[in-house]
Amino acid sequence: DISRRISIQCNPSFHIPAIYSVYSLKSLHAQKQQYPQNEAESAFPGLFLGWDLRGRDPGNLGTMIRTAAAAGFDAIILLEGCVDIYNSKVTRSTVGCMFNIDLIQNLPNTKAVVDALKKAGFTLYAAHPRGGSCAIGEKFSQKNVIVIGNEANGITTAMLHHCDKLLTIPMPGGTESLNASVAAALMIYEVIRN
């Protein structure tokens, strides 16, 4: 039986759940070993959502995890500096979907991650609000990494240089950009559609 005080600390929202679980987190060392070291050792043969979030928006990340899991993506890679996947807002907004997809976080070396993915045959597509090829109708490869940046600053310059192709979602209404989780959802389902 958990006291109300502990329950509020675990979940600061007004809706206190009746059930809690305790589990051990994967070690950072184990997570670093999971991303593909070479084509033969590729742990994820299918689709990826690469998240280059240097901001701190847990709601967007949770929505992306839920969407990627629903679409059958194999993994989400979070570079160092991203919001923690175990943040209470992230876990709540995934509605349990975070247990249906591999989540790899705190990878510190962008170049090493990108090199390993490219060596394993993945193509990196950057979602960018301007200047890219039209994302609608794009012919994606068999092994994809969709890179999404944070809403304030977009994808880092270093990551843009590593991407194979820039893709832009049409916004004929003149809006500057889309919410990051909406852009991710559109890109994810465009991959699935093709």
Side-chain angles (χ1 to χ4, degrees):
D1 195 22
I2 296 176
S3 73
R4 181 167 176 77
R5 185 179 61 97
I6 293 173
S7 180
I8 289 171
Q9 284 180 326
C10 292
N11 182 6
S13 73
F14 293 111
H15 306 290
I16 300 170
I19 300 172
Y20 287 93
S21 67
V22 178
Y23 57 94
S24 61
L25 303 178
K26 291 180 184 178
S27 73
L28 179 58
H29 176 72
Q31 289 180 353
K32 284 182 181 178
Q33 299 308 311
Q34 286 184 4
Y35 71 88
Q37 300 299 316
N38 61 49
E39 192 165 358
E41 297 175 8
S42 177
F44 310 109
L47 306 169
F48 274 73
L49 172 67
W51 173 253
D52 186 32
L53 172 61
R54 299 297 178 173
R56 301 269 187 261
D57 192 345
N60 274 342
L61 178 57
T63 301
M64 289 184 204
I65 292 170
R66 185 176 180 183
T67 304
F73 272 46
D74 292 314
I76 294 179
I77 298 173
L78 302 166
L79 299 177
E80 194 171 55
C82 295
V83 64
D84 184 6
I85 59 173
Y86 301 108
N87 175 298
S88 63
K89 289 181 181 178
V90 173
T91 57
R92 274 197 311 273
S93 61
T94 68
V95 193
C97 291
M98 67 186 299
F99 302 109
N100 299 332
I101 189 168
D102 287 320
L103 302 170
I104 304 166
Q105 72 172 348
N106 293 324
L107 295 180
N109 188 332
T110 301
K111 184 173 179 351
V113 173
V114 168
D115 288 348
L117 289 168
K118 288 188 175 190
K119 189 173 183 179
F122 287 90
T123 303
L124 278 69
Y125 298 92
H128 199 274
R130 288 167 294 287
S133 300
C134 182
I136 309 305
E138 175 67 29
K139 299 297 180 204
F140 290 91
S141 67
Q142 292 297 319
K143 296 170 117 183
N144 305 287
V145 178
I146 304 300
V147 181
I148 305 289
N150 71 37
E151 289 185 34
N153 302 310
I155 298 170
T156 61
T157 304
M159 180 56 91
L160 279 174
H161 289 303
H162 293 300
C163 290
D164 298 302
K165 192 164 188 180
L166 244 59
L167 296 178
T168 299
I169 298 166
M171 293 178 284
T175 303
E176 182 185 18
S177 64
L178 293 170
N179 171 280
S181 60
V182 171
L186 290 169
M187 295 288 287
I188 288 167
Y189 278 97
E190 193 61 23
V191 169
I192 297 304
R193 191 176 73 81
N194 288 299

